Amino acid sequence: MTQSVFPENFLWGGATAANQFEGAYNLDGKGLSVQDVTPQGGMPATIGDLDPLITDEPTPDNLKLEGIDFYHRYKEDIALFAEMGFKVFRLSIAWSRIFPKGDEKEPNEAGLQFYDKVFDELAKYNIEPLVTLSHYETPLHLARTYNGWASRQLIGFYERYVRTVFNRYKDKVKYWLTFNEVNSVLHGPFMSGGIATPFAELSKQDLYQAVHHELVASALATKIGHEINPDFKIGCMVLAMPAYGYTANPLDQLAAREFENQNYLFSDIHARGKYPNYIKRYFEENNISIVFAPEDEAILKNTVDFISFSYYMSVAQAHNPEDYETGRGNIMGGIKNPYLESSEWGWQIDPVGLRLVLNDFYDRYQLPLFIVENGLGAKDVLVDGPDGPTVEDDYRIDYLKKHLQQVGEALKDGVELWGYTTWGPIDLVSASTAQLSKRYGFIYVDRNDDGTGSLARYKKKSFDWYKKVIATNGESLYH
Ligand code: BG6
């Protein structure tokens, strides 16, 4: 029998976010988050339309499709994850379940109890929770009253929240992520950073100052977490998107490097504890001057234990982008690459890009890595199978298999990787478009974009495929 290239104790699993799958958006004292007022999703459909549609308050007419009721069905869902053999399950804590408005002094006990029950249920199956502290769900009150992360006051509110959950769950959770796709705030300031100023009116100064507040808050969380439990493993989470120069023209390569630097800025600061020099030049040329509080420099030195990232696609960049066709993408995008195919939503599929990303991050930081999102959003068709309704999702299997084979190559290259969680192991609501028909799961959920459906769960073909991948620790990928 051949030895698997995946390390022993590799953490296989799936990833979710509270606002996209819990439902129960206003139950048991939960406050509204920025997600609850973006009925069409938090990101523009096309790169270039900058602002999502934001409503005052959710009403029956404009209510966003809310989750898939994990709030009431968590036992059933976790049992299905356990059946697939999950070693890890990534979920976020909805900040507004714990602090409904965000600036209260005392937490909402009912919210805390919900996650106690979820973590206890995971423990029954020896599934390790991997918890995102803030996944595009800033309490709405903080967006409306303080302009989200544009205000330094958010650091204090976030600190109170993370202290509360670190203390509460210190014996139940070991792996933590501070902010989901922390770099996305540059492209979706409302969804990612709770910044209410319309994007077109938001100055670069204010945007990068907000970035600074998040980076300080993240480092502070790392410091506090390690004080509360030295065994905690605390990571940053970035949206990874490798960029290729469209041609061998050095100017195209430079454009690609500049695009990547905008993303590296975030992992560099999390891993190295200070701002990189390349951004100082960018700041000077754009009249950006970050205001540091006296303690910030020291706080930023609290670096992360590991680097985690999402990976869905790559892009091409050129010095003259207007001469090319622009592709659609995950929050950010670039020029369409003629060598790659695209998903039904226009995201370009590039398994080799994942190998490149893994090697780039590892060479840059020599820190353990964790792939915490990867997957294919596709339209599934429910058909009758021998054991009931199912989906023949060979396209999803093909996508995941090709990506995981490239992960195997990166492991052979010498990269240190702790685990891999697919995005949306159970169908959930799309962050960018609020559709349920953009499905990622191994488990089909009977829910339609108009909110109809029984919410019943059905196993797709990929369910047994992933189960086998996990059971063989990746060996089945090569047969
Ligand atoms: C990532 C987010 O950007 O991509 C998730 O962290 C999101 O929240 C995922 O769901 C897939 O994007 P979408 O828009 O297809 O849901």
Side-chain angles (χ1 to χ4, degrees), residues 144-371:
R144 293 254 159 91
T145 312
Y146 302 90
N147 210 15
W149 284 97
S151 161
R152 191 175 171 92
Q153 280 175 280
L154 268 270
I155 299 176
F157 302 138
Y158 181 80
E159 180 184 350
R160 189 175 305 144
Y161 158 63
V162 302
R163 257 186 210 287
T164 304
V165 297
F166 281 161
N167 275 314
R168 177 79 170 214
Y169 308 123
K170 63 178 181 297
D171 300 322
K172 298 183 180 186
V173 178
K174 178 174 166 187
Y175 296 94
W176 301 90
L177 306 177
T178 52
F179 288 96
N180 182 63
E181 299 188 332
V182 59
N183 49 330
S184 61
V185 66
L186 293 182
H187 309 272
F190 183 70
M191 176 167 86
S192 180
I195 300 170
T197 306
F199 203 171
E201 293 161 28
L202 186 62
S203 68
K204 281 190 176 168
Q205 169 65 35
D206 288 349
L207 182 55
Y208 276 91
Q209 188 64 45
V211 166
H212 179 72
H213 298 149
E214 285 199 48
L215 290 166
V216 170
S218 180
L220 190 58
T222 305
K223 178 176 184 290
I224 294 168
H226 286 149
E227 284 163 5
I228 291 174
N229 184 345
D231 291 337
F232 276 178
K233 300 293 178 202
I234 305 173
C236 60
M237 192 311 201
V238 291
L239 189 167
M241 193 178 285
Y244 306 113
Y246 194 86
T247 71
N249 181 340
L251 292 178
D252 286 354
Q253 302 303 319
L254 192 62
R257 176 75 60 86
E258 282 169 355
F259 176 86
E260 289 193 334
N261 277 353
Q262 283 222 320
N263 296 328
Y264 276 136
L265 168 67
F266 294 80
S267 48
D268 281 353
I269 296 174
H270 276 96
R272 297 173 173 159
K274 58 180 178 134
Y275 279 73
N277 282 356
Y278 57 78
I279 201 66
K280 291 181 183 157
R281 173 173 183 168
Y282 177 82
F283 284 171
E284 265 164 37
E285 289 178 355
N286 289 279
N287 294 320
I288 298 166
S289 169
I290 304 294
V291 180
F292 269 64
E295 63 275 21
D296 288 0
E297 210 175 299
I299 293 173
L300 287 177
K301 292 202 170 80
N302 293 282
T303 54
V304 287
D305 301 312
F306 65 102
I307 307 283
S308 82
F309 62 91
S310 62
Y311 177 78
Y312 294 90
M313 55 174 289
S314 62
V315 284
Q317 297 291 343
H319 71 288
N320 51 343
E322 58 289 349
D323 292 350
Y324 298 98
E325 188 189 344
T326 307
R328 292 169 69 185
N330 182 20
I331 299 178
M332 53 188 89
I335 295 165
K336 215 168 161 189
N337 184 336
Y339 295 95
L340 301 177
E341 288 178 1
S342 301
S343 78
E344 289 165 286
W345 274 263
W347 297 15
Q348 291 207 284
I349 300 169
D350 180 12
V352 174
L354 179 53
R355 178 178 175 185
L356 291 171
V357 164
L358 284 162
N359 275 285
D360 286 348
F361 276 136
Y362 195 66
D363 289 348
R364 210 169 167 106
Y365 308 121
Q366 286 92 50
L367 281 175
L369 306 177
F370 209 136
I371 302 166

Side-chain angles (χ1 to χ4, degrees), residues 15-17 19-20 35 43 90 135-136 180-181 184 191 237 239 310-312 329-331 345 347 372-373 375-377 423-424 428-435 438-440:
T16 58
N19 69 84
Q20 293 171 256
Q35 289 294 339
M43 282 304 292
R90 177 177 173 226
H135 191 131
Y136 298 160
N180 182 63
E181 299 188 332
S184 61
M191 176 167 86
M237 192 311 201
L239 189 167
S310 62
Y311 177 78
Y312 294 90
N330 182 20
I331 299 178
W345 274 263
W347 297 15
V372 296
E373 286 185 33
L376 178 71
W423 176 249
L428 37 65
V429 178
S430 157
S432 57
T433 67
Q435 293 166 296
K438 190 179 186 189
R439 296 172 184 271
Y440 287 85

